[in-house]
């Protein structure tokens, strides 16, 4: 069967399609049906089945003869260490930690925050939490204490599992002061913390609250897997929305297992036993789905890579890992390739490695620009497949279903909608537009298994953010078009979300931080085009009347404030003081026009602009930062 047949078979009978896929998962009680639509437009999948995530990702492979196969390879050029964990070892380590957590009172439904660098213990912690039916929420290490505190208050974890430090090129990131600071800031206090001590920087433990990772589990009885309902949350992952308050995307257990397992063969074209590598971070959705869960659920070997595409030690590091571990399918963000291309434009470094066993490169997380795709194809000599998805879905909405049939690649398009997704382009009134026309990208409800059923503690926000603009559809927040062959093109976000080095960030959140500066009366943050990171945030601040402090001082404080409040990952370094912001007569800030000026693109003068002269001031301001055609 080709792609079109598979897609049609899903369209004709979605329930039968997903029930068939669900057979690849080991259920403790099989679900009676796939879709539960009684609460439409809220949908759930496999709700009356009983199943355990960890059992499917670990134990069943040991029972089926994969005990001696590597489950996790840790490769850390930044610390100079390498290690491997077989499925049998993984089962022992996970069940021991799970037993210790349970003995300390963690029960089904309790939340556990995980704040760890790229070490295998991060995956062990995630699996241990799901093993006992608790719900993890992994927080990316590049976020500051304040962001961690916001997540602690929303998830209200009973426990936090953290590393003592992370390692960035040139500096050790001390996690413990960030963790302690976040717990101080948060209203909700965890009962205890488990700290993995790393030799690069050991943390001081707080007596009675903090437990050292090994000592914590020393005498624990291993825990068995606890079956949970198919709709039980496996995890919560916070992602940026329009405001500073992150959205807690809920991942349901049953659909997550079924859908991720489906993607491994059909999209990534790997067989169980083969090595799959996603170079991302466990703090992002790519890390959840494709460093941890999908490869393990499918019986692959996954790689936990602690390093950067360049500088650890050089632009050949990805090629070394691919060659050394016999990677068959590789997934990363376009920004990582742009970094390699910048350091090694001719791809000389790849010549030192044999990557001939690699079948394909998969790109996602941001727009894949044609230059990067063509460069990667030329240098790596493999097909390059762009695919489009979001934290909310957890896996591909549109991609090239290579395991079913490799469709012709059209550069600039992530290819076609996957079974499960009825993707449509809508105009402002919610009517489908013709092929080739731009509009909002929406997915006809219900979304497929594994996608978010709601937001944690925020059902109203879920409805408002995703279900209200286009009744009967899920609003993706992206704009684009579909061509006459059904190929999708993702052009832009329709909200205040920007994408910096494949990291999703909220300009609204940065504005909230800047507005908190005592001298700032008003501000705007926009995303400007950047050759390496795709986009960079740029801030414009207007000072309070009477404030005569040097602008450079205020700007430096603003930059520091965003780093402190959101974290280094915001990469907020461009800011400028201006007299006034360009606005419409009704007071709406014209951010879109500001972006065009900063990117030095043509634009139409907004008809509703209050005072067109301000745009000249904006142009002068962005030029001082080296943008706008400077
Ligand atoms: N913990 C602490 N700090 C972190 C961090 C972490 N886990 N990850 C990043 N940071 C810091 C960086 O050290 C940097 O700090 P600096 O301002 O002091 O230099 C800052 O956050 C910005 O990081 P980043 O945007 O990653 O920029 P970079 O210059 O360090 O690296 C790339 C640029 C392109 C090499 C890098 O962004 C990359 O590899 N991107 C791939 C993205 C990816 O995998 N995305 C996941 C979605 S698929
Ligand atoms: P995240 O939730 O962090 O994965 O970010 C999701 C957003 O990143 C999407 O809504 C898009 O705006 C963007 N994105 C992800 N993948 C792609 C892609 N292949 N092409 C264009 N944009 C993408």
């Amino acid at each position: 069967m080709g792609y079109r047949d598979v897609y049609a078979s899903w369209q004709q009978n979605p329930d039968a399609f997903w029930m068939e896929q669900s057979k690849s998962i080991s259920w403790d009680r099989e679900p009676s049906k796939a879709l539960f639509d009684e609460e439409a437009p809220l949908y759930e999948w496999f709700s009356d089945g009983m199943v355990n995530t960890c059992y499917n990702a670990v134990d069943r492979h040991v029972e089926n003869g994969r005990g001696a196969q590597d489950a996790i390879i840790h490769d850390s050029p930044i610390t100079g260490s390498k290690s491997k964990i077989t499925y049998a070892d993984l089962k022992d380590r996970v069940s021991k930690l799970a037993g210790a957590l349970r003995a300390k009172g963690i029960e089904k439904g309790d939340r556990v925050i995980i704040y760890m660098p790229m070490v295998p213990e991060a995956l062990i912690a995630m699996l241990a939490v799901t093993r006992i039916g608790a719900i993890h929420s992994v927080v990316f290490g590049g976020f500051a204490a304040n962001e961690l505190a916001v997540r602690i208050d929303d998830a209200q974890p009973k426990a936090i599992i953290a590393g003592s430090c992370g390692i960035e090129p040139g500096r050790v990131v001390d996690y413990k002061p960030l963790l302690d600071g976040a717990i101080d800031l948060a209203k909700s206090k965890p009962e205890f913390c488990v700290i993995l001590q790393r030799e690069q920087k050991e943390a001081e433990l707080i007596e009675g609250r903090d437990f050292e990772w090994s000592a914590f589990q020393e005498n624990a009885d291993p825990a068995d897997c606890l079956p949970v309902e198919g709709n039980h949350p496996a995890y919560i992952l916070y992602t940026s929305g329009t405001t500073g308050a992150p959205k807690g995307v809920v991942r349901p257990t049953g659909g997550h297992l079924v859908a991720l397992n489906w993607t491994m063969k059909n999209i990534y074209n790997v067989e169980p036993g083969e090595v799959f590598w996603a170079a991302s971070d466990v703090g992002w959705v790519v890390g959840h789905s494709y460093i941890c869960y999908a490869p393990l659920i499918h019986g692959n070997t996954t790689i936990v890579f602690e390093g950067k595409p360049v500088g650890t030690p050089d632009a050949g590091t990805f090629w070394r890992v691919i060659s050394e571990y016999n990677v068959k399918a590789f997934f990363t963000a376009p920004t990582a390739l742009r970094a390699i291309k910048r350091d090694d434009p001719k791809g000389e470094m790849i010549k030192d490695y044999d990557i001939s066993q690699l079948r394909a490169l998969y790109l996602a997380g941001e727009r894949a620009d044609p230059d990067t795709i063509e460069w990667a194809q030329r240098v790596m000599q493999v097909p390059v497949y762009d695919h489009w998805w979001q934290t909310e879905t957890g896996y591909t909405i549109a991609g090239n279903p290579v395991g079913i049939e490799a469709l012709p690649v059209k550069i600039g398009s992530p290819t076609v909608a996957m079974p499960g997704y009825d993707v449509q382009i809508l105009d402002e009134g919610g009517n489908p537009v013709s092929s080739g026309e731009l509009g909002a990208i929406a997915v006809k409800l219900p979304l497929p298994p594994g996608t978010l059923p709601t937001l944690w503690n925020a059902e109203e926000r879920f409805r408002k953010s995703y279900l209200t603009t286009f009744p009967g559809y899920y609003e993706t927040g992206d704009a684009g078009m579909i061509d006459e062959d059904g190929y999708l093109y993702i052009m832009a976000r329709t909200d205040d979300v920007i994408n910096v080095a494949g990291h999703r960030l909220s300009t609204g959140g940065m504005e909230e931080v800047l507005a908190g500066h005592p001298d700032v009366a008003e501000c705007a943050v926009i995303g400007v085009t950047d050759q390496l990171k795709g986009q960079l945030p740029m801030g414009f601040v207007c000072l309070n009347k009477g404030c005569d402090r040097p602008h450079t001082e205020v700007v430096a404080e603003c930059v520091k404030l965003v780093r402190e409040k959101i974290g280094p990952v915001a990469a907020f370094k461009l800011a400028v003081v201006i007299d006034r912001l360009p606005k419409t007569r009704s007071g709406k800030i014209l951010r879109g026009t500001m972006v065009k000026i900063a990117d030095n693109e043509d634009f139409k003068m907004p008809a509703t602009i209050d005072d067109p002269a301000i745009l000249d001031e904006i142009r002068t301001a962005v030029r001082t930062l080296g943008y706008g055609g400077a």
Side-chain angles (χ1 to χ4, degrees):
M1 274 214 294
Y3 158 74
R4 295 209 182 276
D5 306 314
V6 175
Y7 192 84
S9 80
W10 161 71
Q11 266 180 321
Q12 275 152 22
N13 194 341
D15 227 71
F17 179 87
W18 289 115
M19 284 306 276
E20 181 61 29
Q21 305 315 323
S22 77
K23 290 184 188 150
S24 308
I25 293 306
S26 306
W27 299 85
D28 292 273
R29 185 178 73 210
E30 288 193 6
S32 63
K33 58 176 182 171
L35 181 65
F36 286 72
D37 58 3
E38 295 77 7
E39 306 286 325
L42 304 183
Y43 297 91
E44 291 184 339
W45 295 86
F46 307 118
S47 308
D48 65 0
M50 294 297 285
V51 70
N52 182 275
T53 297
C54 184
Y55 179 77
N56 277 277
V58 183
D59 299 48
R60 66 167 175 163
H61 301 310
V62 179
E63 289 164 18
N64 295 338
R66 291 194 185 278
Q69 181 193 314
D70 289 331
I72 301 174
I73 296 172
H74 183 230
D75 188 296
S76 171
I78 207 152
T79 61
S81 64
K82 296 175 186 178
S83 61
K84 293 181 175 180
I85 301 176
T86 63
Y87 271 101
D89 293 342
L90 185 61
K91 181 179 167 210
D92 290 347
R93 293 177 66 173
V94 167
S95 46
K96 198 100 174 126
L97 177 61
L101 289 169
R102 206 183 44 193
K104 201 88 183 101
I106 303 294
E107 288 169 15
K108 181 181 172 192
D110 287 341
R111 274 80 59 209
V112 177
I113 279 190
I114 300 174
Y115 187 58
M116 294 185 99
M118 286 293 288
V119 289
E121 285 84 354
L123 276 61
I124 290 172
M126 292 162 81
L127 292 162
V129 170
T130 57
R131 188 172 188 88
I132 53 177
I135 303 167
H136 64 67
S137 186
V138 180
V139 178
F140 178 61
F143 281 125
N146 186 58
E147 288 288 316
L148 179 56
V150 167
R151 287 155 175 79
I152 294 175
D153 275 335
D154 197 67
Q156 303 189 344
K158 226 181 202 177
I160 300 185
I161 306 179
S164 61
C165 67
I167 300 139
E168 284 293 292
R171 73 190 154 105
V172 171
V173 183
D174 212 346
Y175 277 18
K176 192 58 185 359
L178 295 171
L179 174 64
D180 291 344
I183 295 175
D184 281 349
L185 281 171
K187 285 189 209 71
S188 164
K189 309 286 179 195
E191 288 173 15
F192 66 97
C193 299
V194 180
I195 309 292
L196 177 77
Q197 295 284 23
R198 303 191 75 192
E199 59 179 66
Q200 290 76 11
K201 174 80 196 190
E202 293 212 355
E204 285 202 16
L205 304 186
I206 295 177
E207 180 78 36
R209 191 199 72 186
D210 299 342
F211 298 88
E212 188 274 324
W213 173 274
S214 304
F216 176 72
Q217 23 191 325
E218 209 164 31
N219 300 315
D221 291 328
D224 283 336
C225 296
L226 181 79
V228 298
E229 298 75 16
N231 57 357
H232 181 71
Y235 70 74
I236 305 161
L237 177 58
Y238 289 90
T239 190
S240 299
T242 300
T243 66
K247 296 169 168 171
V249 168
V250 173
R251 189 75 60 216
T253 300
H256 182 230
L257 288 164
V258 172
L260 288 192
N261 187 68
W262 183 87
T263 63
M264 288 305 286
K265 172 66 191 152
N266 293 290
I267 295 174
Y268 301 103
N269 198 22
V270 288
E271 301 295 338
E274 294 182 331
V275 182
F276 177 88
W277 180 26
S280 177
D281 188 287
V282 282
W284 308 114
V285 71
V286 177
H288 280 66
S289 294
Y290 291 104
I291 296 174
C292 184
Y293 288 115
L296 296 179
I297 293 163
H298 194 245
N300 291 93
T301 300
T302 186
I303 298 182
V304 174
F305 173 76
E306 189 180 25
K308 300 269 174 178
V310 292
T312 59
D314 54 37
T317 208
F318 275 11
W319 320 138
R320 173 189 61 80
V321 173
I322 292 169
S323 142
E324 188 167 332
Y325 304 113
N326 206 9
V327 173
K328 300 287 190 212
F330 176 48
F331 178 172
T332 193
T335 188
L337 290 175
R338 287 196 296 269
I340 298 174
K341 178 170 157 233
R342 194 175 63 170
D343 270 25
D344 179 20
K346 293 203 179 118
E348 298 288 346
M349 305 209 73
I350 208 165
K351 296 184 183 139
D352 296 338
Y353 304 98
D354 176 8
I355 66 157
S356 56
Q357 81 294 339
L358 184 73
R359 294 191 194 113
L361 165 69
Y362 293 83
L363 296 176
E366 56 171 330
R367 184 174 166 268
D369 53 290
D371 272 1
T372 303
I373 295 181
E374 281 160 9
W375 181 85
Q377 269 168 352
R378 196 168 60 246
V379 167
M380 297 173 72
Q381 294 287 311
V382 292
V384 178
Y385 300 119
D386 181 15
H387 57 328
W388 168 66
W389 48 295
Q390 312 182 305
T391 305
E392 287 84 344
T393 64
Y395 61 100
T396 312
I397 308 170
N400 200 323
V402 185
I404 301 172
E405 174 192 7
L407 297 174
V409 169
K410 292 194 192 184
I411 289 186
S413 164
T415 316
V416 292
M418 291 298 94
Y421 292 96
D422 180 354
V423 180
Q424 300 194 13
I425 310 295
L426 306 180
D427 65 17
E428 277 175 15
N431 308 304
V433 302
S434 342
S435 60
E437 260 185 66
L438 268 179
I441 310 178
V443 182
K444 194 128 205 317
L445 292 172
L447 288 176
T451 57
L452 82 173
T454 187
L455 292 173
W456 185 254
N457 281 341
E459 192 182 297
E460 255 329 288
R461 189 174 181 197
F462 172 70
R463 289 178 190 264
K464 230 173 127 211
S465 305
Y466 303 108
L467 308 181
T468 307
T469 313
F470 305 117
Y473 291 87
Y474 163 81
E475 182 184 6
T476 65
D478 284 310
M481 62 169 192
I482 298 180
D483 74 9
E484 63 285 358
D485 298 325
Y487 279 56
L488 185 66
Y489 292 78
I490 316 296
M491 314 301 275
R493 286 287 303 188
T494 56
D495 56 13
D496 297 331
V497 167
I498 58 169
N499 204 310
V500 180
H503 309 318
R504 174 166 159 183
L505 298 164
S506 160
T507 53
M510 293 185 217
E511 289 177 2
E512 285 172 29
V513 172
L514 295 179
H517 187 289
D519 294 324
V520 171
E522 231 191 344
C523 64
V525 176
I526 58 169
V528 298
T529 302
D530 180 73
Q531 287 293 328
L532 175 67
K533 297 193 181 186
Q535 280 183 303
L536 277 180
M538 182 183 280
F540 298 82
V541 293
C542 306
L543 304 185
N544 289 321
K545 229 175 162 167
C547 171
D548 55 4
R549 297 184 54 212
H551 290 179
T552 47
E553 236 175 77
V554 179
V555 162
E557 287 167 10
C558 285
V559 167
K560 191 159 162 265
L561 199 61
V562 174
R563 194 174 172 97
E564 271 167 18
K565 294 275 185 199
I566 297 179
V569 68
F572 183 83
K573 292 179 180 163
L574 300 170
V576 67
V577 174
I578 50 168
D579 282 344
R580 303 165 296 164
L581 292 168
K583 291 187 186 171
T584 61
R585 281 189 283 277
S586 59
K588 236 179 125 217
I589 300 172
L590 289 161
R591 293 185 184 77
T593 310
M594 294 165 80
V595 172
K596 294 258 194 248
I597 294 174
D599 287 347
N600 199 24
E601 279 179 19
D602 293 339
F603 64 91
K604 231 172 81 195
M605 181 64 70
T608 54
I609 191 165
D610 185 34
D611 176 4
I614 302 181
L615 297 184
D616 290 331
E617 288 173 35
I618 296 294
R619 190 177 300 280
T620 310
V622 298
R623 284 189 173 157
T624 63
L625 297 171
Y627 287 78

